[in-house]
Amino acid sequence: MKQKNFVGTFKQHYTSNFHFTFPIATKMKLKPLTLLCLFSAPLAAYAQTTPPIVGSQPTTFTMSSGTERTAEQLAVSFENADLSLRIDPSKQSIEGVAVLQFVAKSSVARLVLELDKNLPIDAVSVNGTALAPDAINNPEGRVYLTLPQSLKTGDKAEVKISYHGQPRIAQRAPWDGGFVWSKTTAGEPWIASAVQGEGCDLFWPCIDHPMGKPKRMSTHFTVPAPLVVAGNGVAQGVDEKDGWRTYHWTIKQPSTYGISVNVGPYTLMEGGYQSRFGNQIPLRFWHLNGNEAKAKELFAEFTPTLDFFESVIGPYPFADEKMGVVETPHLGMEHQTVNAYGNGYKKSPHGYDWLLNHEFAHEWFGNQMTNENWDDFWLHEGFASYMQPLYLQYLRGERDYQVAMHEQRLRIVNHFPMVTGHSMSEHDVSNGPGNDVYFKGSHILHTLRGQIGDDAFFKAVRLLVYGRLDPKPGNFAPRYSTSKEFIQFVNQVTKKDWNWFFKTYLTHATLPELVQERRGNVLHLHWKTPDNSVFPLPVEVRVDQKLHKLEMKNGVGQIVLPANATWTVDPGSKVLKHEPQLEVWTQDMMQRRK
């Protein structure tokens, strides 16, 4: 699925986080513009790809997550999901039984779910009554189940779905969703799923929408012994029979694409973190045998990473479950409480593992706070991306913060608005703003923080994440949010109207331009916006060695320049704005690629 107009996919940043490359990505392949791409195949040294068993491809509907929910889906509350999967590496197949519990919020005559039609449904029952074949319909990946009798408000429905088949194989996870059937260098099965862009329906029947979370979920994954399953949530034990092992897990309010399959010859590294909020957080890392020394180094990063996030944002949202990481045959993904890690244990020049940091940020921005639909996806990726420079500021200081921000600035494309104001699917965002939701989102937050100060900024962030200013373990739950709500929080904590700020940055493709003109001994500045609206964003000007802040009332400002004075506008790079030299550089990179 090629991206439009030089726009990369959501996970483009995985391929070159800072190594002076500017890759152009598609979901199927990536072409770096220089020869310095150090991350394009991070696991090639110790992983083998199992020859795929080729099956039918999912429909366009299935391959795009977040299509608007039907009236029937809106009419029920998704209370519980219990998923059993038997995973057979030799056949690259699964056999599944999903028991889903719903409560009707209004009268409803049928239930609607999503499941790839290439996973045949063997049987369905509702409250113990088997449905006739003609009551089960799955033409394009949306499953319609006609109920034996309509549910009235308050009625409960337990739906049991048995199915089987070969789930879609990801050609290049995580950019391309599905299962990864790999092997370690010792020839042992090494299996993972990554379905952010395509959704949970690639391997289990679900409501494939950001707001389709069940309140609770249990998983029971059966694999050939002695393989190990690293799961979401809290381990509930393991059974073994006839050469197969079943691992049991329970999860609270899991994100829909955050449920994952991770199978391999793992060794478990365990520890604990004493939180500043008084609770103890379990630390778990499943790594491949033979990687113990490198795994210990990565595991040592868990504690400072947790300390940073808890100090600047607030309590780890899933402290009563775990902070979990699992080594995977693909680069990575923010799977709730068991983040996928495949960065090959490479540290950046900043001295930390950027992938660990980015995916862990999603426990707050994505799993605790989830966007109501994909149109607000920058709330996940923009915040998670901004956490990396912030962590470097915490860890190393101002130089590393500024370097990291500049690295991100080089990747802003400005071809589509960040937010449209209407419901979007993943496909819409991928083929629209693409990677701008990461890096432009990060720079919007950088600019906002510089304008309103740390106290107000982090108060607004806490309201976004927790819905309250005083989060403590046990006094908050996962929540949904929108760009509109975040703007309201910013207005609330600053007691000012910032709608003009977000309107310009989020709803227009191009950036505001700060026009500079010297007339005589006066430097005149004014903001030029795509819709010619007033943009009164203050800006700093350094004249000789003195720093001045221009308030830019009505988007206009001026400053007197002494004779022979030198000056620099925005010397601290605090403001996201149109920068023509970067456009020249970007065009040059595009020409070199041709």
Side-chain angles (χ1 to χ4, degrees), residues 390-440:
L390 275 180
Y391 181 62
L392 293 177
Q393 189 176 45
Y394 158 91
L395 195 67
R396 305 285 180 224
E398 289 304 314
R399 180 194 66 178
D400 285 39
Y401 173 80
Q402 288 290 357
V403 168
M405 290 306 304
H406 182 65
E407 290 160 357
Q408 292 186 358
R409 180 63 181 87
L410 294 177
R411 290 158 176 79
I412 297 176
V413 178
N414 297 316
H415 283 181
F416 292 88
M418 295 272 284
V419 175
T420 67
H422 58 78
S423 180
M424 300 274 277
S425 71
E426 181 277 339
H427 176 82
D428 297 328
V429 180
S430 179
N431 287 276
N435 267 15
D436 276 0
V437 299
Y438 291 82
F439 307 125
K440 189 173 181 177

Side-chain angles (χ1 to χ4, degrees), residues 492-504:
Q492 174 185 328
V493 299
T494 61
K495 296 181 173 57
K496 293 182 179 179
D497 182 359
W498 289 89
N499 284 278
W500 57 270
F501 175 91
F502 289 100
K503 177 176 177 289
T504 295

Side-chain angles (χ1 to χ4, degrees), residues 120-244:
I121 294 174
D122 301 310
V124 179
S125 66
V126 178
N127 293 335
T129 300
L131 295 189
D134 61 1
I136 306 167
N137 187 26
N138 184 15
E140 294 296 324
R142 178 162 269 173
V143 182
Y144 297 90
L145 305 175
T146 302
L147 298 171
Q149 59 182 31
S150 295
L151 299 177
K152 299 186 295 295
T153 302
D155 284 352
K156 298 179 181 179
E158 182 175 276
V159 181
K160 181 178 180 181
I161 302 175
S162 301
Y163 63 102
H164 72 280
Q166 294 168 343
R168 181 182 191 272
I169 295 174
Q171 302 301 309
R172 195 171 186 275
W175 297 270
D176 173 60
F179 266 55
V180 180
W181 304 94
S182 186
K183 288 186 178 180
T184 66
T185 53
E188 299 164 292
W190 190 17
I191 306 161
S193 65
V195 297
Q196 181 191 50
E198 296 77 12
C200 46
D201 50 338
L202 280 187
F203 70 97
W204 65 282
C206 59
I207 298 176
D208 182 21
H209 187 277
M211 296 186 73
K213 295 182 183 183
K215 294 179 181 178
R216 299 175 305 280
M217 187 164 183
S218 301
T219 60
H220 318 275
F221 292 165
T222 301
V223 298
L227 293 176
V228 176
V229 174
N232 304 89
V234 180
Q236 300 296 320
V238 57
D239 306 323
E240 187 166 342
K241 182 179 180 181
D242 300 330
W244 292 78

Side-chain angles (χ1 to χ4, degrees), residues 454-509:
D454 280 8
D455 182 65
F457 179 80
F458 288 109
K459 280 182 178 177
V461 173
R462 277 188 284 278
L463 288 170
L464 173 73
V465 172
Y466 304 103
R468 59 191 303 162
L469 290 172
D470 61 342
K472 296 178 178 62
N475 75 354
F476 62 87
R479 66 188 306 272
Y480 296 104
S481 192
T482 63
S483 299
K484 182 178 179 181
E485 185 184 50
F486 179 60
I487 297 167
Q488 290 171 345
F489 289 148
V490 172
N491 292 344
Q492 174 185 328
V493 299
T494 61
K495 296 181 173 57
K496 293 182 179 179
D497 182 359
W498 289 89
N499 284 278
W500 57 270
F501 175 91
F502 289 100
K503 177 176 177 289
T504 295
Y505 280 127
L506 293 179
T507 66
H508 297 288

Side-chain angles (χ1 to χ4, degrees), residues 32-161:
L33 293 181
T34 78
L35 299 178
L36 298 177
C37 181
L38 303 184
F39 292 137
S40 59
L43 301 177
Y46 59 98
Q48 303 170 9
T49 301
T50 303
I53 297 174
V54 179
S56 299
Q57 288 297 302
T59 63
T60 300
F61 174 84
T62 296
M63 288 295 287
S64 183
S65 180
T67 302
E68 286 194 67
R69 291 172 292 169
T70 68
E72 294 91 344
Q73 290 173 330
L74 294 170
V76 296
S77 172
F78 196 175
E79 298 294 309
N80 189 68
D82 187 282
L83 176 64
S84 299
L85 280 184
R86 183 181 177 95
I87 302 161
D88 190 339
S90 65
K91 298 179 181 177
Q92 297 182 5
S93 67
I94 59 175
E95 295 178 14
V97 177
V99 180
L100 313 176
Q101 297 175 342
F102 302 94
V103 173
K105 296 188 291 185
S106 59
S107 179
V108 62
R110 62 181 182 178
L111 296 175
V112 180
L113 301 166
E114 279 80 51
L115 179 66
D116 182 2
K117 70 181 183 64
N118 294 309
L119 297 175
I121 294 174
D122 301 310
V124 179
S125 66
V126 178
N127 293 335
T129 300
L131 295 189
D134 61 1
I136 306 167
N137 187 26
N138 184 15
E140 294 296 324
R142 178 162 269 173
V143 182
Y144 297 90
L145 305 175
T146 302
L147 298 171
Q149 59 182 31
S150 295
L151 299 177
K152 299 186 295 295
T153 302
D155 284 352
K156 298 179 181 179
E158 182 175 276
V159 181
K160 181 178 180 181
I161 302 175

